[in-house]
Amino acid sequence: MSQKDYDMVPRWYVVHTYSGYENKVKTDLEKTVKNRELEDFFFEIVVPMEEQIEIKDGKRKTNLKKVFPGYVLIKMIVTEESWYIVRNTRGVTGFVGSGTDPIPLTDEEIRNMGFEEVSVNIDYDINEKVKIMNGAFEGFVGTVQEINKEKNKVKVLVSMFGRETPVELEFSQVNKLS
């Protein structure tokens, strides 16, 4: 496989590690990337954490807990060399995917995890007519009232029972009327 055969777009991949090795894999990998000057192929290495509040003996304590124990997320460009470096990092058991091919996460999976904003391209604007494609209001036509890009939501005014009712929907639930 020559360099030009690779998709040079960075994507998120999931790497399986021995339990408890997640942070060590992250730091070792970051060191290797720096030493080998491969910053053009590795963009982010993440061990997703979430705050967990624990109340013990009447005292509130906040702990950081791994969201996916045994996994590290890496935004990278896969080449023979970058794949080899990840696979041979101590504590890594392999990429999540089929066989030797790492499978990148989809935009939807990344959005659902909430650790990276993935912009959704929408082709409708405020005051334009849209058709609702699924959900409780499937088949209804309405007018776009508001677009919230942070939450990937759109507010549509739908005419029901003779009056306009605002309905909040996901971007993917509506299509522009042509």
Side-chain angles (χ1 to χ4, degrees), residues 140-141 157-166:
F140 278 84
V141 171
L157 277 180
V158 179
S159 182
M160 278 191 302
F161 313 116
R163 62 175 225 241
E164 300 280 288
T165 305

Side-chain angles (χ1 to χ4, degrees), residues 2 10 18 22 26 30 33 46 57 63 69 86 90 92 100 113 129-130 153 161:
S2 67
Y18 293 124
E22 303 87 354
K26 175 180 160 63
E30 285 169 343
V33 167
V46 179
D57 304 327
N63 292 327
V86 173
R90 212 172 129 232
V92 170
T100 56
M113 288 181 190
K129 294 262 182 224
V130 291
K153 300 255 189 212
F161 313 116

Side-chain angles (χ1 to χ4, degrees), residues 39-135:
E39 290 92 341
D40 291 347
F41 296 94
F42 290 88
F43 298 84
E44 255 184 281
I45 302 168
V46 179
V47 178
M49 306 290 264
E50 66 184 359
E51 278 191 359
Q52 194 177 41
I53 296 166
E54 196 180 307
I55 297 172
K56 205 173 183 181
D57 304 327
K59 291 190 177 92
R60 257 175 88 110
K61 202 171 123 189
T62 306
N63 292 327
L64 277 180
K65 184 176 165 268
K66 292 182 187 93
V67 181
F68 308 111
Y71 295 96
V72 174
L73 296 144
I74 304 175
K75 187 175 192 174
M76 64 185 282
I77 293 170
V78 173
T79 65
E80 234 158 85
E81 187 179 15
S82 67
W83 178 89
Y84 180 85
I85 284 168
V86 173
R87 282 288 290 120
N88 290 286
T89 298
R90 212 172 129 232
V92 170
T93 58
F95 278 94
V96 173
S98 60
T100 56
D101 292 335
I103 308 285
L105 292 171
T106 64
D107 286 350
E108 193 176 350
E109 288 168 329
I110 296 163
R111 258 197 315 278
N112 291 342
M113 288 181 190
F115 66 88
E116 182 181 274
E117 287 307 309
V118 177
S119 60
V120 176
N121 293 326
I122 51 174
D123 62 352
Y124 46 82
D125 222 325
I126 290 178
N127 293 328
E128 284 194 303
K129 294 262 182 224
V130 291
K131 182 173 186 178
I132 301 171
M133 303 314 289
N134 58 35

Side-chain angles (χ1 to χ4, degrees), residues 11-23:
R11 299 188 193 287
W12 283 100
Y13 295 90
V14 180
V15 175
H16 194 260
T17 68
Y18 293 124
S19 189
Y21 272 75
E22 303 87 354
N23 292 323

